Amino acid sequence: MGLYDRYLALRQRFHGADPPAHVALVLTERDLLEQGAYDRLERLLGWVFDYGAERATVSVSVLDESVVPTLERELRAISAPRPVAVRAPDDTDPVSAPVQVNVGLGGKGEFAAAVRSLAEEVDAGELDPDAVDGADVERRLVFPDEPDLLIKTGAERLSDFMIWQSVYSELYFIDLNWRDVRERDYLRAVLDYQNRQRRFGR
């Protein structure tokens, strides 16, 4: 760690505001095809927990579904600081591990599956449609936790990722490829989060 990184780390540690408890990282399949991509991801996850987070979500958007099995296998094998759970497009079991990884499961598809599940229970007479609320939807999501901070590289727009869960997340965009993200870039994101006044839609 260089002198500037140490300075940022000290600022972050002595900041009066809490760091994000849940950090989401949005990647693409292209990011993981770069040489050293998984080593970089392991370092990123280390920084996430080193600087105060209790949970991390990694979302990998996928254009070519044929690469999903390879990405799944590689992501299950990463050396992370906490237990990892990986989910692909056909998985429906909710995630509870401290590191949750989404490979190609879009937010629209996840939300649609939750709505179908609710509709089936209403149709079976197991659920009163007038009683359905947000908590019912969240219990049926694969990734039920809401990120405090969502970090994405490149263009300042979100992909089809956690469209329900990220509605009140703080967004931070880094103008770099993931392979080039340094510890100082992550620290700047955390400090930016700590300097914000969260409104949760109010």
Side-chain angles (χ1 to χ4, degrees):
M1 181 187 282
L3 186 61
Y4 181 62
D5 302 88
R6 291 178 193 278
Y7 161 72
L8 289 176
L10 283 171
R11 278 187 59 199
Q12 190 276 324
R13 289 195 190 280
F14 290 101
H15 198 289
D18 291 332
H22 180 186
V23 176
L25 309 170
V26 183
L27 288 73
T28 67
E29 63 185 87
R30 252 189 344 268
D31 293 320
L32 293 177
L33 294 175
E34 299 283 348
Q35 186 173 1
Y38 293 96
D39 291 337
R40 175 66 58 177
L41 179 57
E42 289 173 0
R43 284 197 292 275
L44 269 164
L45 289 171
W47 301 334
V48 167
F49 291 100
D50 284 347
Y51 294 108
E54 300 167 0
R55 187 173 296 274
T57 298
V58 178
S59 176
V60 184
S61 61
V62 173
L63 294 176
D64 180 3
E65 289 195 7
S66 68
V67 305
V68 168
T70 301
L71 294 177
E72 246 191 299
R73 185 177 63 251
E74 295 292 340
L75 287 162
R76 289 184 195 279
I78 63 172
S79 177
R82 306 283 170 85
V84 177
V86 179
R87 296 291 184 270
D90 294 332
D91 295 325
T92 56
D93 291 337
V95 172
S96 61
V99 179
Q100 45 198 35
V101 182
N102 162 18
V103 186
L105 174 60
K108 289 181 179 179
E110 181 189 28
F111 182 68
V115 172
R116 279 196 301 273
S117 174
L118 286 167
E120 288 166 2
E121 291 184 38
V122 168
D123 190 52
E126 299 167 359
L127 191 64
D128 177 0
D130 293 328
V132 173
D133 59 16
D136 292 305
V137 174
E138 287 163 12
R139 280 194 293 271
R140 290 160 177 79
L141 296 172
V142 178
F143 297 89
D145 298 317
E146 299 176 2
D148 298 305
L149 173 64
L150 191 154
I151 302 175
K152 186 179 183 295
T153 59
E156 292 193 6
R157 58 181 175 79
L158 294 180
S159 53
D160 177 22
F161 166 63
M162 298 183 87
I163 57 174
W164 177 280
Q165 303 91 322
S166 65
V167 65
Y168 297 134
S169 299
E170 297 298 321
L171 309 181
Y172 187 88
F173 297 92
I174 299 175
D175 193 20
L176 293 169
N177 292 321
W178 273 117
R179 68 176 184 273
D180 299 320
V181 173
R182 302 156 296 181
E183 189 168 358
R184 66 182 59 181
D185 301 307
Y186 180 75
L187 279 165
R188 285 170 179 154
V190 173
L191 282 164
D192 182 83
Y193 171 89
Q194 290 176 293
N195 287 330
R196 296 184 189 186
Q197 181 179 0
R198 300 194 71 190
R199 298 184 182 278
F200 298 97
R202 294 189 294 273

